[in-house]
Amino acid sequence: MAYDDHYVPVLLNCRGRLCLIVGGGKVAERKADTLLNAGASVHIVSPILRSEKLQRLANENVLRWTKRKYQSDDLTGAFMVHAATDDSMLNLKIAEDADRLGVLVNVASNGEAGTFINPTVLRRGRLTLAVSTSGAGPMAARGIRDDLEEQFGPEYEDYLDFLYRMRSVIREEVESADARRRLLHKAYRMDMLGEIRREGYAPWSEDKIKQWIANNQEE
C-alpha cells in the first residue's frame, strides 16, 4: 500500500547552534542529551524542571534555563526548537510561531505538526544508523534498532576509524584522483572487519598506512 512519505532523511550539524527546548520533563531531558552530545548550545524555557538531570545541567551551566512560561520571542536566533511540554495546545502554538519564523520545530505530542521528527538512533563511533517508522510507532522503531544493534556490533567503531584514517592519509599522500580511487577500493576490499572480529587487529600507525600506500600504488 502506497503512502505519502513527506520526510527527507538528513543529518544536521548543530555544533554551536542555538537549540531551544520548551518543557522541563523527561522528554525535554532526552532532547537535551542528544543536542548537548552534538555540541549544540541548549536553552530550556520552562517554569519548572521536573528532571533532576536537567536541574543539575542548568546548575552547572552546561545549558541555559529560563524559568518562566514560553514567549514567542524565545525563538529569536534559534536554529531549531523542541516543543516538549505536556500542553498539546501550547506545543501547537510553538510550532506555528516556529513555522512563521522559518525555525525547524519538533512537536513531541504530535509529530506531524512539526517540520521534523527524531528517528531512533544507533551509534557505533562514526557510524550512525537512524530508524524511523514515519510516525507509525516508536516501539516498532526501537525493535528494528535492536535488531540492527546485533547486526552492527562494536567492531564497526574500529573498522570505520581505520577507513577514515586510511582515506585521510591517501588524500594527503596521493595526488592522482584515479590512484586515490584505486587505493580506496583496495582498502575497502581488505578483510579488516573480519580481522577486528577475530581480535587480531591493532590500529595502524600513519607510517604503516604510508607503507601500504607505497606497496599498493601500482595495479
Side-chain angles (χ1 to χ4, degrees), residues 20 37 101 141:
L20 176 67
N37 287 335
L101 294 172

Side-chain angles (χ1 to χ4, degrees), residues 3-115:
Y3 68 99
D4 179 20
D5 186 1
H6 49 277
Y7 294 108
V8 177
V10 296
L11 294 174
L12 294 174
N13 180 1
C14 294
R15 183 171 297 279
R17 296 181 184 271
L18 175 60
C19 295
L20 176 67
I21 301 172
V22 184
K26 285 296 182 182
V27 174
E29 178 186 307
R30 291 197 298 271
K31 306 297 187 183
D33 273 342
T34 299
L35 291 170
L36 289 171
N37 287 335
S41 174
V42 177
H43 177 201
I44 290 183
V45 174
S46 179
I48 60 172
L49 293 180
R50 293 187 299 276
S51 160
E52 291 183 5
K53 183 173 184 179
L54 288 180
Q55 184 70 66
R56 176 175 57 80
L57 293 173
N59 291 340
E60 295 172 355
N61 294 318
V62 175
L63 53 79
R64 180 160 64 100
W65 173 33
T66 298
K67 187 179 180 180
R68 59 163 168 75
K69 293 182 178 180
Y70 164 80
Q71 298 174 0
S72 297
D73 59 5
D74 290 327
L75 289 166
T76 302
F79 174 63
M80 71 165 59
V81 56
H82 286 274
T85 78
D86 55 8
D87 183 337
S88 60
M89 295 305 294
L90 175 57
N91 288 343
L92 291 178
K93 170 67 166 57
I94 296 166
E96 291 173 359
D97 290 345
D99 191 54
R100 186 169 57 253
L101 294 172
V103 177
L104 296 171
V105 56
N106 171 265
V107 181
S109 57
N110 182 0
E112 293 186 356
T115 51

